[in-house]
Amino acid sequence: MTGPYQTILTDAPAPHVLRVTLNRPDARNALSGEVTQLLDDAIVRLDSDPDVGAMILTGADPAFCAGFDLRALSTELRSVQQQRQQVPVKHLGMMPVHQTPIIGAINGAAVTGGLELAMGCDFLIASDRARFADTHARVGAMPGGGMTIRLPQLIGIDRARRMTFTGDFIDAHTAYEWGLVVEVVPHATLLDRAREVASTIASIPAEHVREIRRMYAEIGDLVGSEAWSTESRESREWMAQRFDQNRLATERAAIIARGRAQGAHGPSAETDSGTGAVDPT
């Protein structure tokens, strides 16, 4: 399907998978107030659809997102900018709160606010044409979309400082080596690869994925024994109250077969795709 937006397009490249495309190629998909509101609306709408198991966020070539529109930022009334800073924050980072996993398919440059938007995804798959930079310091704007949080989480504090202090670009392969992206593919295959991974996610019951995703978000902010005890408590609550034993009995053979096909062999027992559970039958 095609969504109702011009600057934000939505379509379904596979069953239960929805793709959201930033569609301002002449402006390198730069963000504006209108674009960010339409993007919020699209994500909230798709996230509320029980038929959507995964989303893909990408940009219309040649860029993923060049960040906030510098022309608007440098010419709009200063009083308007100051008033905007008094508006209560609606959500953390660059995306509204959502439960459905979002894969970032980074097709080109992701710069400053565009990099923050990318890091708001659950993980990133990059085209070999992708480039990444943080120019907040050069622009004279302070990051408010998670740059000083997510970037050091992904690549380490020293590399994050280097990117921010210099404003220099890194290429897709460097981004992979540093841990910013999980995979680099030829540009022509980027959307197919993102669709393939998204379809794999969407093939799993959405309730299971969403619950584990919520645990990652909650526990990721904890450290030490608090993190361990929280995971243990929530695991026990799920297994005691919400674990679907009948589904596992029905799908056990298919789960094991998929694990075997991917090389998850045990020396003397079958395993469930490498999760550590053993089936001795």
Side-chain angles (χ1 to χ4, degrees), residues 201-223:
I201 295 172
S203 71
I204 300 171
E207 182 185 19
H208 300 180
V209 175
R210 289 183 173 204
E211 180 67 13
I212 294 177
R213 183 182 184 277
R214 186 195 63 76
M215 289 177 65
Y216 268 116
E218 178 183 354
I219 296 171
D221 292 332
L222 306 177
V223 295

Side-chain angles (χ1 to χ4, degrees), residues 225-244:
S225 59
E226 187 179 7
W228 287 93
S229 61
T230 300
E231 183 187 67
S232 177
R233 183 188 71 249
E234 298 193 0
S235 171
R236 288 171 179 266
E237 289 175 357
W238 174 276
M239 296 305 292
Q241 301 172 18
R242 299 168 64 185
F243 175 61
D244 189 346

Side-chain angles (χ1 to χ4, degrees), residues 3 23 64 68 70 84 122-123 130 145 154 161 192 241:
N23 190 42
F64 172 74
F68 284 96
L70 294 184
R84 184 185 304 125
D122 287 270
F123 57 87
L154 292 170
R161 285 170 171 165
D192 287 341
Q241 301 172 18

Side-chain angles (χ1 to χ4, degrees), residues 57-228:
L57 177 64
T58 192
D61 282 342
F64 172 74
C65 178
F68 284 96
D69 191 326
L70 294 184
R71 179 179 300 177
L73 192 62
S74 63
T75 59
E76 71 178 348
L77 291 175
R78 188 74 181 102
S79 59
V80 173
Q81 294 177 343
Q82 292 171 332
Q83 185 177 13
R84 184 185 304 125
Q85 303 310 313
Q86 305 306 313
V87 177
V89 175
K90 295 188 297 182
H91 48 67
L92 298 178
M94 297 292 289
M95 290 191 193
V97 174
H98 59 279
Q99 297 179 303
T100 307
I102 301 179
I103 299 171
I106 312 303
N107 57 300
V111 184
T112 313
L115 176 55
E116 289 180 310
L117 178 62
M119 292 189 297
C121 297
D122 287 270
F123 57 87
L124 306 179
I125 299 174
S127 154
D128 54 11
R129 297 182 188 175
R131 300 291 184 272
F132 304 87
D134 176 24
T135 62
H136 276 104
R138 288 189 176 276
V139 171
M142 293 300 104
M147 184 69 71
T148 61
I149 302 165
R150 287 291 288 148
L151 192 61
Q153 285 177 345
L154 292 170
I155 69 173
I157 186 65
D158 289 353
R159 286 171 171 162
R161 285 170 171 165
R162 171 183 161 179
M163 285 188 68
T164 297
F165 296 170
T166 66
D168 290 344
F169 279 78
I170 62 171
D171 63 22
H173 292 287
T174 300
Y176 173 74
E177 292 171 358
W178 287 6
L180 181 57
V181 307
V182 301
E183 191 173 346
V184 179
V185 299
H187 185 75
T189 66
L190 173 65
L191 295 182
D192 287 341
R193 179 57 179 155
R195 173 184 50 78
E196 180 183 15
V197 177
S199 293
T200 299
I201 295 172
S203 71
I204 300 171
E207 182 185 19
H208 300 180
V209 175
R210 289 183 173 204
E211 180 67 13
I212 294 177
R213 183 182 184 277
R214 186 195 63 76
M215 289 177 65
Y216 268 116
E218 178 183 354
I219 296 171
D221 292 332
L222 306 177
V223 295
S225 59
E226 187 179 7
W228 287 93

